[in-house]
Amino acid sequence: MKKLYVFLMLAICVTAGSRALGQVSINVNIGSQPLWGPVGYDHVDYYYLPDIESYYYVPTRKFIYLNNGRWIFSSGLPSAYRNYDLYNGYKVVINSPKPYLNYTEHKVKYSKYKSNRSQAVILRSNDPKYYVVKGHPKSKAKVSVKGGPSGKVKVNPGHKAHGNGHAGGNDKGRGKH
């Protein structure tokens, strides 16, 4: 009887322990983050871009910005920001739903990061966990992206760039990923 009791207690502990472990969830979306995204984050929902007071939603790869009092969701930035360098601008990671609804607060809180160019980006990272990002120089994907000495990014001829983040695009290799 004592052995049966010990066996039942052990079975209950194992079952309870496995349920607790089964409920642990880790959400990682490194491979979905753009090459111009900052390093150090395993999961990102939104970036706030203080220089241009806009957002970027990683899952849908859409920029979110105000236009005449309306929030616009677009695969590119408006023409006013076509020369904005996503690789050098500071990005604030925000992992909460619809952060643009708190835009007024974010505009004030993150204004100190305007013109901050010190943030490391995925493209220039040597951390192997970022090699899964399509277009990373050490990626096994077919897109080949290289940064020159100036830090500007050029997509090699014959390879397809995936979304440049700019309305209308340009041929300077800025903002390509």
Side-chain angles (χ1 to χ4, degrees):
M1 182 72 171
K2 190 175 184 180
K3 287 181 182 178
L4 181 61
Y5 177 73
V6 170
F7 177 75
L8 285 174
M9 291 305 291
L10 182 62
I12 290 170
C13 288
V14 168
T15 303
S18 66
R19 282 187 190 160
L21 289 175
Q23 293 176 1
V24 174
S25 167
I26 299 174
N27 192 352
V28 176
N29 70 348
I30 293 174
S32 300
Q33 296 174 36
L35 287 171
W36 48 263
V39 298
Y41 301 93
D42 291 337
H43 178 82
V44 176
D45 288 328
Y46 291 89
Y47 298 117
Y48 174 65
L49 311 167
D51 289 329
I52 58 174
E53 298 174 348
S54 301
Y55 296 86
Y56 181 80
Y57 186 44
V58 173
T60 61
R61 297 180 176 169
K62 298 276 185 183
F63 290 93
I64 305 166
Y65 54 88
L66 270 176
N67 185 7
N68 294 323
R70 267 186 61 223
W71 287 106
I72 305 298
F73 295 73
S74 173
S75 57
L77 287 168
S79 58
Y81 301 126
R82 73 173 158 252
N83 292 322
Y84 179 69
D85 189 346
L86 291 164
Y87 289 88
N88 288 321
Y90 197 88
K91 280 74 66 181
V92 177
V93 171
I94 301 177
N95 287 328
S96 63
K98 300 180 181 180
Y100 47 90
L101 298 179
N102 298 312
Y103 167 70
T104 305
E105 176 188 326
H106 294 158
K107 183 177 176 176
V108 172
K109 183 176 183 179
Y110 301 122
S111 66
K112 63 186 172 191
Y113 295 109
K114 284 187 175 189
S115 302
N116 183 326
R117 306 288 180 251
S118 65
Q119 196 173 43
V121 294
I122 291 171
L123 173 73
R124 299 181 190 114
S125 174
N126 288 320
D127 187 334
K129 76 179 182 181
Y130 294 113
Y131 298 172
V132 300
V133 178
K134 194 169 188 176
H136 190 283
K138 295 185 180 178
S139 171
K140 293 182 179 160
K142 298 201 181 226
V143 176
S144 177
V145 180
K146 295 186 179 177
S150 67
K152 291 184 180 172
V153 179
K154 297 177 183 173
V155 177
N156 286 347
H159 294 287
K160 183 179 177 187
H162 296 279
N164 63 9
H166 299 288
N170 62 43
D171 61 351
K172 296 180 182 175
R174 294 173 60 161
K176 304 239 187 237
H177 62 284

